[in-house]
Amino acid sequence: MALYEHVFLARQDISQQQVEALIEQYKTLISEYEGSVGKVEYWGLKTIAYRINKNRKAHYVLMNIDAPSAAVNEMERQMRINEDVMRFMTIRVEEHEEEQSAMMQKRDRDDRRGGGRGDRGDRNDRPQRGDRRPRRDDRDGNESSEDNAAE
């Protein structure tokens, strides 16, 4: 049997429980063809690079599969029919990685840092700017002709 890494994107408006039901459905299908699914990683609801069928986000899932090609072909056929699956990609690999995928490592690294983008933390570490010069009493932002004549 061959080894595969399979990633699919599910619509943003389904719940995480529905995504888990999809995973179980495809695991059952693979086992019917005498294959097995090793590691399954739910990467979460993430923003996608471009809109797909008016969706800006998607649930990402990675599955490591050890199965005959007929099982993978049938799973892909069912994914094409399923309206909840927007995109999928299957790659044949020589061996499965045992550790976490790069996406999960990135998530752990972001969690340890204390948040993702936009988290600025305590801003008291900024230096003081000192006294500012007073603003001009000019409403439209232009200098008046009297100021120009004085110079």
Side-chain angles (χ1 to χ4, degrees):
M1 286 192 272
L3 301 175
Y4 299 93
E5 283 187 358
H6 179 79
V7 177
F8 71 90
L9 280 65
R11 290 183 320 152
Q12 67 184 5
D13 54 345
I14 66 173
S15 67
Q16 186 173 347
Q17 289 79 18
Q18 289 172 306
V19 174
E20 291 170 3
L22 283 173
I23 294 169
E24 289 304 317
Q25 174 185 343
Y26 297 127
K27 276 181 158 182
T28 304
L29 176 73
I30 295 295
S31 64
E32 288 174 2
Y33 279 82
E34 298 175 1
S36 64
V37 176
K39 175 176 65 175
V40 175
E41 290 183 357
Y42 174 71
W43 292 345
L45 185 64
K46 298 190 165 294
T47 304
I48 52 182
Y50 55 90
R51 278 193 193 168
I52 302 173
N53 299 330
K54 299 181 181 178
N55 290 299
R56 293 182 183 272
K57 294 184 175 193
H59 295 274
Y60 283 71
V61 177
L62 167 75
M63 299 168 63
N64 284 347
I65 300 171
D66 181 11
S69 62
V72 174
N73 289 339
E74 178 62 21
M75 180 180 67
E76 289 180 346
R77 186 187 73 79
Q78 288 189 15
M79 284 190 172
R80 275 187 223 102
I81 295 170
N82 193 333
E83 293 178 358
D84 292 334
V85 178
M86 296 190 309
R87 294 280 191 277
F88 60 86
M89 182 170 61
T90 307
I91 299 173
R92 186 172 179 175
V93 294
E94 293 296 320
E95 61 181 311
H96 288 136
E97 293 182 12
E98 297 302 320
E99 66 240 18
Q100 289 183 331
S101 66
M103 293 293 285
M104 294 299 281
Q105 290 173 359
K106 179 181 178 294
R107 178 190 284 175
D108 289 346
R109 188 172 54 244
D110 289 345
D111 289 345
R112 278 195 305 270
R113 244 188 306 175
R117 286 182 290 177
D119 183 25
R120 296 177 186 223
D122 187 20
R123 300 192 108 201
N124 291 334
D125 58 346
R126 295 175 73 183
Q128 294 297 321
R129 294 170 54 151
D131 293 333
R132 294 185 182 180
R133 61 187 173 109
R135 288 186 164 193
R136 287 194 315 247
D137 191 27
D138 191 27
R139 288 197 178 107
D140 59 357
N142 297 326
E143 292 182 359
S144 64
S145 59
E146 294 172 18
D147 291 339
N148 288 337
E151 294 176 359

